[in-house]
């Protein structure tokens, strides 16, 4: 008998207790708190109630607050108009089983039927198929993880015992105001018809909630549905950089400033929004033959390009992948090449350069700008450059470890970029011709304006004489 009880305890713990503990403690497969600056989610369980839910909707409308209602299917039957009002006023509708019964006390198949029946009621009334689910008392069993994978399980970060009428509105208000903080997912009840609840307890909730909404509005908080809270949280997590990454980026930018001073790099274009910098130096690589003739040999003078690290950091932080970063970098380079060409033409130190030269991790598309792409000769420089640039990409970009084979690795493998001096000079010629064309266009416009003004003056003079 003792063994039988022990085995029963083991099964119960595995089926119910441990999954609930893991979800509540670690947030496994559930959403329970947001990462936002000024948003709070109000969620209401057990309704709809024919008396208190309409009053709640009126209160929310007065404060332009959006909420999430976790519907008990048996309570919603016959109240389709109320469900439609929730949807039309911008609230989210979720599922709270067909009857308010714990998932611990039901078989997995029964839980699924409860959910599907409630989903059908909500969909028939509103046309929306809900995907948000809150199990009664926040209790799930081990099979819910697999069976309910198509649903987002939503728990809470703050609960107040508002289903008991003896708590009173004043005590409830004080408890709620302590949780007037961004990201909170508040658990409240707009119906008192479930087991253990008091029928008229929602009356106290409405009084306390009005004070909470009033104070929250004064402090600049927004009350949003769980859908918006989750989207804002996901965006915040995507933009978040851990301390070690911020520290590495700061050190890297500090190193860039020191490098600029030591090697006297010259900025291309506007200092505040530069795409890259350059220095005139001696080429120390292997001899290179250009496709359209000409070559660069060891000892030749070249303009060595350095992409602006601050701009690269900004681009990488807002790009979804290294490839996206590369595309945006190429656009910046394309816009800056005429500026570089004009600056090199005016720089007496660059009179004898043979090419523009650089080493980059992301090179796809550079050939259409006039660069020729070459493999780095194997050696310590190639290996160290490869390691450095890959670490840099990891630090700067929001990339995940899901590279798809050799093709993707080649895309972000370091290469030498060289542009013959004749090609870069064409950018200067193109830019100059554009300026000349614009000047000629403006001259024509001015001449036409002066001519029109003269004609108008002549006409005006004739009319004045006639009068």
């Amino acid at each position: 008998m003792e063994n039988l009880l022990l085995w029963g305890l083991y099964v119960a713990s595995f089926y119910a207790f441990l999954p609930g503990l893991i979800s509540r403690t670690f947030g496994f497969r559930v959403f329970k708190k947001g990462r936002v600056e000024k948003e709070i989610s109000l969620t209401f369980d057990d309704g709809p109630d024919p008396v208190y839910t309409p009053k709640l909707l009126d209160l929310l409308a007065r404060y332009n607050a959006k909420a999430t209602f976790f519907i008990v299917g048996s309570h919603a039957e016959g109240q389709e108009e109320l469900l439609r009002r929730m949807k039309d006023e911008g609230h989210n509708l979720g599922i709270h089983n067909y009857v308010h019964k714990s998932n611990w006390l039901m078989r997995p198949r029964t839980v699924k039927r409860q959910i599907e029946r409630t989903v059908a009621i909500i969909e028939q009334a509103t046309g929306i198929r809900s995907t948000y689910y809150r199990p009664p008392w926040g209790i799930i069993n081990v099979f819910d993880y697999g069976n309910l994978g198509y649903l987002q399980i939503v728990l809470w970060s703050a609960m107040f015992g508002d289903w008991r009428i003896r708590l009173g509105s004043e005590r409830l208000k004080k408890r709620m105001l302590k949780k007037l903080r961004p990201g909170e997912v508040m658990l409240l009840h707009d119906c008192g018809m479930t087991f253990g609840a008091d029928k008229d307890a929602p009356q106290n909730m409405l009084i306390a909630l009005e004070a909470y909404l009033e104070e929250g509005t004064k402090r600049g908080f927004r009350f949003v549905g769980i859908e918006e809270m989750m989207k804002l949280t996901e965006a915040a997590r995507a933009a978040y950089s851990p301390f070690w990454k911020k520290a590495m980026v700061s050190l890297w930018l500090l190193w860039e400033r020191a490098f600029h001073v030591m090697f006297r790099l010259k900025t291309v274009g506007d200092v505040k929004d530069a795409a890259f910098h350059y220095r005139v130096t001696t080429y120390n690589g292997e001899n290179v033959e250009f496709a359209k003739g000409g070559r660069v040999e060891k000892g030749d003078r070249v303009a060595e390009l350095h992409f602006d690290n601050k701009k690269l950091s900004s681009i990488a932080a807002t790009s979804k992948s290294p490839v996206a970063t590369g595309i945006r970098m190429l656009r910046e380079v394309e816009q800056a090449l005429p500026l570089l060409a004009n600056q090199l033409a005016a720089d007496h130190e660059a009179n004898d350069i043979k090419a523009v030269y650089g080493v980059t991790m992301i090179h796809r598309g550079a050939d259409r700008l006039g660069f020729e792409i070459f493999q780095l000769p194997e050696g310590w420089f190639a290996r160290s450059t490869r390691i450095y640039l890959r670490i840099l990409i990891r630090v700067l970009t929001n990339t995940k470890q899901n590279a798809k084979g050799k093709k993707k690795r080649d895309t972000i493998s370091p290469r030498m970029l060289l542009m013959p001096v004749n090609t870069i000079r064409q950018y200067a010629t193109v830019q100059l011709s554009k300026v000349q064309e614009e000047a000629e266009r403006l001259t024509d416009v001015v001449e036409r304006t002066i001519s029109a003004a003269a004609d108008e003056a002549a006409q005006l003079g004739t009319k004045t004489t006639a009068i």
Side-chain angles (χ1 to χ4, degrees):
M1 183 65 181
E2 184 178 343
N3 288 336
L4 186 61
L5 290 173
L6 192 59
W7 273 107
L9 179 62
Y10 287 157
V11 171
S13 297
F14 178 73
Y15 180 73
F17 178 73
L18 288 177
L21 180 65
I22 291 170
S23 293
R24 289 297 308 160
T25 306
F26 302 105
F28 178 69
R29 296 283 299 275
V30 302
F31 182 84
K32 62 177 185 176
K33 191 169 185 177
R35 183 181 290 176
V36 291
E37 294 183 358
K38 279 292 183 179
E39 287 77 23
I40 295 171
S41 273
L42 301 171
T43 68
F44 299 91
D45 287 7
D46 300 356
D49 184 279
V51 176
Y52 293 112
T53 302
K55 292 181 180 180
L56 172 58
L57 290 170
D58 292 341
L59 175 60
L60 294 171
R62 287 204 302 273
Y63 288 91
N64 193 29
K66 306 305 176 188
T68 305
F69 293 86
F70 288 98
I71 304 298
V72 173
S74 59
H75 294 171
E77 288 181 327
Q79 298 200 72
E80 288 78 9
E81 189 63 37
L82 200 49
L83 296 182
R84 280 192 288 274
R85 182 183 171 188
M86 291 176 185
K87 178 251 184 184
D88 292 342
E89 294 184 5
H91 305 294
N92 296 147
L93 278 71
I95 306 144
H96 202 46
N97 284 356
Y98 180 76
V99 295
H100 199 276
K101 189 176 181 181
S102 172
N103 289 14
W104 284 5
L105 305 176
M106 295 187 288
R107 294 181 300 168
R109 185 182 298 177
T110 305
V111 173
K112 198 168 185 178
R113 280 202 297 262
Q114 289 258 330
I115 291 170
E116 289 173 352
R117 191 171 179 183
T118 307
V119 166
I121 292 169
I122 295 171
E123 186 175 19
Q124 187 173 3
T126 66
I128 294 175
R129 189 169 180 83
S130 179
T131 57
Y132 301 108
Y133 176 59
R134 176 175 287 165
W137 296 291
I139 294 171
I140 59 176
N141 63 58
V142 70
F143 295 103
D144 289 343
Y145 292 133
N147 290 344
L148 310 181
Y150 62 98
L151 297 174
Q152 172 61 60
I153 300 175
V154 179
L155 298 182
W156 58 86
S157 62
M159 180 172 62
F160 310 99
D162 63 311
W163 59 86
R164 297 190 300 269
I165 197 167
R166 67 175 182 273
L167 178 64
S169 60
E170 191 62 27
R171 287 171 62 196
L172 177 58
K173 180 181 76 172
K174 290 179 180 178
R175 290 184 181 182
M176 289 174 63
L177 288 174
K178 289 179 180 178
K179 296 292 184 178
L180 191 55
R181 301 182 302 209
E184 295 288 353
V185 178
M186 310 277 283
L187 171 57
L188 297 165
H189 298 79
D190 61 327
C191 179
M193 295 189 293
T194 56
F195 176 77
D198 297 316
K199 183 179 179 182
D200 293 320
Q203 183 62 47
N204 289 334
M205 183 275 293
L206 291 171
I207 296 169
L209 179 61
E210 184 166 9
Y212 186 82
L213 290 169
E214 180 71 27
E215 185 62 24
T217 302
K218 286 180 183 177
R219 297 191 197 179
F221 285 100
R222 285 199 315 127
F223 299 94
V224 300
I226 205 68
E227 182 174 354
E228 184 174 353
M229 177 66 81
M230 291 176 66
K231 286 181 179 178
L232 291 171
T233 299
E234 185 177 345
R237 285 174 177 163
Y240 171 75
S241 293
F243 175 78
W244 68 268
K245 181 178 276 193
K246 291 178 181 177
M248 289 191 69
V249 171
S250 298
L251 288 173
W252 179 58
L253 294 175
L254 187 64
W255 157 248
E256 181 193 37
R257 287 195 291 271
F259 185 87
H260 281 206
V261 173
M262 286 189 295
F263 294 98
R264 299 181 180 180
L265 265 64
K266 300 176 182 180
T267 300
V268 177
D270 185 1
V271 175
K272 294 182 179 179
D273 190 38
F276 44 70
H277 316 267
Y278 76 92
R279 64 170 178 153
V280 176
T281 187
T282 302
Y283 177 71
N284 290 311
E286 295 183 353
N287 296 348
V288 170
E289 297 279 349
F290 291 122
K292 295 183 179 180
R295 58 190 284 125
V296 173
E297 299 178 353
K298 188 173 183 178
D300 285 341
R301 303 274 282 171
V302 293
E304 183 181 87
L305 293 183
H306 296 267
F307 201 88
D308 185 80
N309 287 347
K310 189 173 182 180
K311 182 177 282 290
L312 174 57
S313 176
S314 174
I315 290 173
T318 54
S319 298
K320 293 182 178 180
S321 69
V323 174
T325 300
I327 292 170
R328 292 177 61 185
M329 284 173 60
L330 282 174
R331 288 174 182 166
E332 294 288 343
V333 171
E334 185 175 21
Q335 293 174 6
L337 278 174
L339 296 174
L340 172 65
N342 290 333
Q343 198 160 328
L344 288 172
D347 188 349
H348 68 276
E349 291 184 13
N351 288 340
D352 59 345
I353 63 171
K354 294 288 186 70
V356 172
Y357 162 79
V359 177
T360 181
M361 190 79 164
I362 306 173
H363 46 78
R364 177 176 289 182
D367 54 341
R368 70 179 180 83
L369 301 181
F371 287 100
E372 295 191 25
I373 304 169
F374 301 91
Q375 290 277 0
L376 278 176
E378 280 303 323
W380 71 268
F381 177 75
R383 288 192 294 271
S384 60
T385 300
R386 194 175 294 117
I387 293 170
Y388 166 73
L389 291 176
R390 283 183 176 169
I391 291 173
L392 188 62
I393 289 294
R394 283 285 309 278
V395 170
L396 291 180
T397 61
N398 298 317
T399 184
K400 296 180 181 178
Q401 297 301 309
N402 60 351
K404 297 180 180 178
K406 186 176 183 297
K407 184 177 180 181
K408 188 165 185 176
R409 289 196 299 273
D410 287 343
T411 304
I412 56 173
S413 179
R415 297 284 192 277
M416 289 194 307
L417 299 183
L418 283 138
M419 180 184 289
V421 67
N422 292 335
T423 303
I424 191 66
R425 284 173 181 166
Q426 289 175 10
Y427 275 98
T429 304
V430 169
Q431 182 71 2
L432 182 60
S433 65
K434 286 182 178 178
V435 171
Q436 290 174 341
E437 288 174 5
E438 182 67 13
E440 290 173 0
R441 188 186 67 80
L442 289 174
T443 301
D444 290 342
V445 170
V446 170
E447 288 178 353
R448 286 198 300 270
T449 303
I450 293 172
S451 177
D455 291 343
E456 186 174 351
Q459 292 174 8
L460 183 61
T462 303
K463 290 178 182 178
T464 303
T465 303
I467 290 172

